[in-house]
Amino acid sequence: MINQMNIKKSLRGVTLEKKAKSSHLKKHEKLMNICIRCAYCFEKCPVIKEVQWDTDGARGKVILSYGLLTGELEPSQYIADKIFRCTYCRDCIERCPSKVDILDILSSARADLVEQGYASDVHKQVIDNIDKTGNIYGDTEVVDLSREGTTPLFVGCQYLGRPNKTKKYVKILEKLAVHPKVVKEVCCGFPMEALGFRKQFDDLAKTFKKSFPFDKAITLCPTCTVFLREEYGIDAQHVLQMILEKIPEKQLGMKVTYHDPCDFSRGLKIIDEPRQILKKLGVEVVEMKNTKENSRCCGGGGGILMTDQDLSLDISKKRIKEALETGADIIVTSCPTCEQVLKKAALKVNEKKGTNISVRSIEDIIWKGLRSK
């Protein structure tokens, strides 16, 4: 463990003679000095809750990043492991009184580390998949979902890899008199940017803009929605926002608890819309202890699912246990990654505790509602 007090001196009055090693972090020097090291970012950090080391929290990562920038710390596998051990849940940003955007710092620290040879093999493979096939799975046989329509729809890798889910969303939209236009697309590039592969992202971004030349679109994936807005300036509206405007009232008579994906609740500030859709469908939502903008992360973001599956599972099992406390036996979510990791955790928890909680995607509930009389 790197003791905070021993390296704290690197954050004040240090001469930056060795900064040349950290090209991407340079632009965040002032931002890193804004951090007052109050540790509010520890409050709900999913990684800190599991591993209990200062260097695994946002404060510690800022200190490590500044050390890399100043040259006070040499790049190492230890530091790389810490910088990449983050779910990108955005909770630290929400709690930071100084409004430090830790993700901007982390993505730049990751970029420097990748260029210095500290990228993991599994991350390299994902980036190579995107380079070769345009999707994170390296799938050369992706189902062509192209269709003529009036409203551009960005599908995203997670849904391209789940064509039946995508088709269900398309059917939902058409049933609500929305006609999506789907083109042959490539990954938006978020994995490249988030994992530090900046050079590859710069190349991909040009291809993306050619394949998806729209200023306005509806989207399926929460993370893609955030990235299309922030990186490309596209007026991206998540599909649930459109569905809420048009969905009729039904009476499904179900009782569920709803898991807020991090990029929904903290990234897009989409909190009420999924709940309002469920309410219109006659679904009772019982809230977990940590919900809405304070929702716990599922443990699947930021690349951690690929490099530390045990930690990801430990985080997601805590969320399942929290859901069980509500008395509901169904967890509904609106993110394919959350659905994937929570399903795995639910199986583990059910097996150990003898419970029977299941995880459902919100489009399954919507489709059920639209088909009911």
Side-chain angles (χ1 to χ4, degrees), residues 190-201:
F190 171 76
M192 289 177 164
E193 201 280 335
L195 297 177
F197 293 78
R198 293 281 178 86
K199 293 178 181 178
Q200 291 89 335
F201 172 68

